[in-house]
Amino acid sequence: MSKHAKSPNGIFHPLSAPDFLPLPQLRDLQLQRLTAIVQRAYDRVALFRKRMDDRSLTPQDVRSLDDIVKLPFAEKADLRDTYPFGLFASPMKEIVRLHASSGTTGKPIVVAYTQEDVQVWANVMLRAFAACGLHAGDIIQNAYGYGLFTGGLGAHYGAEALGATVIPISGGNTPRQLMLMKDFGTTAICCTPSYFLHLIDQAAELGVNLKELPLRAGIFGAEPWTEAMRRRIEADSGIKAYDIYGLSEIIGPGVAMECECQSGAHIFEDYFYPEIINLKTGKPCPDGEEGELVLTTLSKKAMPMIRYRTRDITALTSEACECGRTLRRIKRIGRRADDMFIIRGVNVYPSQVETALLKVEGVLPHYQIVLTREKDLDVMEVQVEVTSEFFTDTVGALEQLQGRLSRSIESMVGVRANIRLVQPRTITRSEGKAKRVIDQRKI
Ligand code: DLL
């Protein structure tokens, strides 16, 4: 184990040991688990078996990790088409938990866990917390939503398994969040990055100085955020902001987590096998190249997912990390294949707009993109909050700022945007995932 394996406070959690497995051992474990899960899915999930049969494949055709590319992909539509329980590989009496995430077409997508799956989930979440230096004695305020969303209960079980003290406050009621944070001496908070920005604002309004509190870490995920956003959060609150990634279909939060080096999220590869594929061809991308993340659950009993296309765009790196973990890392997921919008023929991702905005001084990290169509022409309006000092400034200064923002966006994405500067706290805040794009075009 590397000398870096311990967090600076000298604590190493024994259950984090799989993070540091020598690679040959990790690959052996993955292969052993992969062959078992393919067999399970083939035996128990009709859709998977049919797709294998159609390709004249049997589970015995998977003899090495590289053989995974022979297997068919799964995607979100499969969950929708088999709603609610069609992909379950365990009988109902073995399923101890259901979660659901809102689909775009009314019906949610449903995911299931056996007792063992819940334990695996708690284990990866424990390792996620340990990776960013948390341990027993920490007080973790869990402001991810409890309920059908996986964020709340996922983080909760992991924090308890770690031996930390959990405050299961769920999302919302910001003044109360701040009161408990102060009174209970919260040392770490779990929520979406956009909600934490809202907490920062409210703290300022209520005269709470976050920098004077014991709070030292934020475990932020469930939505895309940028490095520029991380810098803002860290500067404004004095905490370290860590990126956590996950999705309901695979387990929930805890698929990947940044360590204290903050240079990409380590995938808990002993449970989730990652691939990056070219979006168009579906062929594997080499290390370091961007593409769509595809994940296979290596141990999931209730609902195994084989080669699930996440639509999340990232790159995988197997470069060694300072922390000593042997787990490969993914680059920050700035975008989803289906987040992209096309404006006057140009592909744009909200994260590009975010990066362009936050380069400019005087801008607050709250924005929304509104798309409309005027006389058959697409119009992109970017509404962004600016500091109140700017509003007391001259009209000329505001116009100059608009110009700077417009140029910054144009050079980043290649299209002009109308900029609407708005007062602080004008843009609707979200307790969970932020809604960045409002598309009012009638197509
Ligand atoms: O958002 C699980 C989660 C909860 C992750 C709490 C992290 C923290 P879903 O609601 O199924 O599950 O949404 C999954 O959210 O495919 C990504 O597009 C996006 N996402 C999640 N984490 C990140 C992240 C939860 N760190 C979808 N960066 C995923 C960027 C993220 N996008």
Side-chain angles (χ1 to χ4, degrees):
M1 193 176 304
S2 140
K3 63 181 163 47
H4 300 290
K6 291 177 181 159
S7 66
N9 47 34
I11 291 172
F12 167 75
H13 199 289
L15 290 178
S16 288
D19 292 8
F20 303 93
L21 277 182
L23 281 179
Q25 218 174 311
L26 177 60
R27 300 286 171 252
D28 276 355
L29 179 65
Q30 287 175 318
L31 179 59
Q32 195 188 315
R33 289 185 173 165
L34 176 67
T35 50
I37 205 76
V38 170
Q39 185 72 54
R40 183 179 181 88
Y42 185 82
D43 291 343
R44 296 174 177 231
V45 184
L47 182 82
F48 185 69
R49 180 200 291 260
K50 180 171 184 313
R51 286 199 182 144
M52 294 269 286
D53 289 347
D54 287 349
R55 287 168 175 73
S56 308
L57 284 171
T58 68
Q60 286 62 48
D61 289 314
V62 179
R63 281 183 228 101
S64 71
L65 287 173
D66 291 338
D67 286 339
I68 199 169
V69 300
K70 298 178 186 167
L71 299 172
F73 291 117
E75 57 187 5
K76 201 171 219 132
D78 297 336
L79 283 104
R80 228 177 283 134
D81 296 347
T82 56
Y83 175 86
F85 302 154
L87 293 183
F88 291 7
S90 298
M92 216 57 196
K93 68 176 190 319
E94 286 170 22
I95 286 171
V96 301
R97 179 96 65 81
L98 297 175
H99 279 282
S101 94
S102 47
T104 37
T105 52
K107 292 278 192 204
I109 60 148
V110 181
V111 296
Y113 306 76
T114 63
Q115 194 65 259
E116 208 179 312
D117 295 334
V118 171
Q119 277 160 14
V120 166
W121 193 10
N123 175 265
V124 286
M125 278 307 296
L126 173 162
R127 288 158 61 188
F129 287 131
C132 69
L134 302 184
H135 46 76
D138 268 305
I139 301 178
I140 302 182
Q141 185 158 334
N142 186 13
Y144 282 123
Y146 280 67
L148 287 176
F149 177 53
T150 53
L153 285 171
H156 184 103
Y157 276 55
E160 278 190 359
L162 182 71
T165 308
V166 199
I167 310 174
I169 188 163
S170 196
N173 201 340
T174 313
R176 207 160 111 104
Q177 299 267 358
L178 288 164
M179 181 183 78
L180 297 191
M181 185 179 281
K182 227 168 75 180
D183 295 349
F184 293 0
T186 300
T187 56
I189 180 150
C190 304
C191 61
T192 57
S194 56
Y195 185 60
F196 190 68
L197 285 169
H198 181 46
L199 261 160
I200 294 178
D201 278 358
Q202 288 265 298
E205 206 160 280
L206 298 169
V208 177
N209 185 350
L210 291 177
K211 292 183 180 166
E212 283 174 359
L213 300 183
L215 190 70
R216 67 171 202 281
I219 293 84
F220 300 134
E223 64 183 11
W225 56 308
T226 56
E227 275 306 303
M229 186 71 94
R230 184 197 325 251
R231 285 193 292 274
R232 285 288 176 109
I233 288 177
E234 294 192 341
D236 292 350
S237 66
I239 70 166
K240 285 267 179 210
Y242 296 100
D243 190 23
I244 184 162
Y245 170 75
L247 63 165
S248 318
E249 298 91 312
I250 297 301
I251 202 150
V255 171
M257 174 70 192
E258 277 188 331
C259 64
E260 286 171 292
C261 303
Q262 292 179 305
S263 60
H266 292 277
I267 300 201
F268 294 111
E269 280 195 74
D270 46 332
Y271 290 122
F272 315 112
Y273 188 80
E275 299 169 77
I276 301 288
I277 60 163
N278 180 292
L279 268 175
K280 292 203 185 86
T281 64
K283 296 271 177 294
C285 291
D287 209 54
E289 197 175 296
E290 271 207 345
E292 179 179 347
L293 177 65
V294 172
L295 290 165
T296 297
T297 58
L298 294 176
S299 75
K300 200 107 175 294
K301 289 285 186 298
M303 209 171 127
M305 277 290 160
I306 312 286
R307 302 198 85 202
Y308 184 73
R309 292 188 67 155
T310 64
R311 312 303 288 155
D312 292 322
I313 301 186
T314 182
L316 200 59
T317 171
S318 39
E319 263 172 44
C321 181
E322 274 276 288
C323 73
R325 284 181 174 73
T326 48
L327 307 170
R328 282 176 286 178
R329 283 169 291 159
I330 42 169
K331 246 178 59 183
R332 181 186 283 283
I333 293 174
R335 56 202 175 103
R336 282 179 61 79
D338 39 21
D339 262 358
M340 190 188 80
F341 55 89
I342 300 179
I343 183 112
R344 285 176 246 140
V346 180
N347 298 351
V348 181
Y349 289 95
S351 59
Q352 295 174 301
V353 174
E354 178 174 308
T355 304
L357 289 174
L358 294 182
K359 277 187 177 163
V360 178
E361 208 182 317
V363 166
L364 296 168
H366 300 285
Y367 67 95
Q368 202 154 49
I369 301 163
V370 182
L371 306 175
T372 50
R373 183 159 287 169
E374 285 169 24
K375 297 199 188 102
D376 290 332
L377 210 65
D378 290 335
V379 177
M380 166 162 70
E381 180 181 85
V382 178
Q383 303 174 350
V384 61
E385 293 182 8
V386 296
T387 56
S388 35
E389 292 86 76
F390 265 100
F391 272 98
T392 52
D393 230 322
T394 59
V395 176
L398 281 174
E399 277 172 359
Q400 275 177 17
L401 178 61
Q402 264 173 329
R404 278 199 293 279
L405 287 167
S406 177
R407 283 191 296 279
S408 180
I409 291 178
E410 192 166 353
S411 74
M412 175 76 74
V413 302
V415 270
R416 271 183 53 80
N418 297 336
I419 307 291
R420 180 127 77 95
L421 304 179
V422 297
Q423 303 261 14
R425 298 188 231 312
T426 311
I427 289 167
T428 315
R429 304 293 194 253
S430 141
E431 289 169 6
K433 301 180 191 244
K435 185 163 172 51
R436 299 294 189 195
V437 183
I438 299 176
D439 196 343
Q440 296 170 338
R441 296 175 294 184
K442 305 236 173 349
I443 298 174

